[in-house]
Amino acid sequence: MTHTPTPPTPPTPESEGSGALLTVHATLVLLAAAFIGAVAGVLTSFSTGNMAAALLAGLTACGVSIPVLHRLIHP
């Protein structure tokens, strides 16, 4: 008795993981963190006039706010 292998089926769009790249929760957290970072950067720029300090403050505010927002915003 011989066994003939069946050819593999081509992937369909449903099997390729056509789901969302990010969840709604992750998107909301990242957008809110980006907004907080932008506000902090703009306010620092207005305050000091130094763009490097404004960029550093904005990036820091964005990074620090991500875990806080993740805990505050429940899925």
Side-chain angles (χ1 to χ4, degrees):
M1 182 162 119
T2 61
H3 176 55
T4 57
T6 58
T9 58
T12 60
E14 293 83 24
S15 67
E16 290 181 359
S18 61
L21 184 62
L22 290 175
T23 63
V24 175
H25 178 255
T27 304
L28 183 62
V29 167
L30 292 176
L31 282 175
F35 179 74
I36 290 170
V39 169
V42 167
L43 290 177
T44 303
S45 175
F46 287 157
S47 173
T48 64
N50 187 352
M51 291 306 293
L55 181 64
L56 185 60
L59 289 174
T60 302
C62 181
V64 167
S65 65
I66 289 175
V68 174
L69 289 169
H70 178 69
R71 278 185 262 125
L72 286 177
I73 302 172
H74 296 287

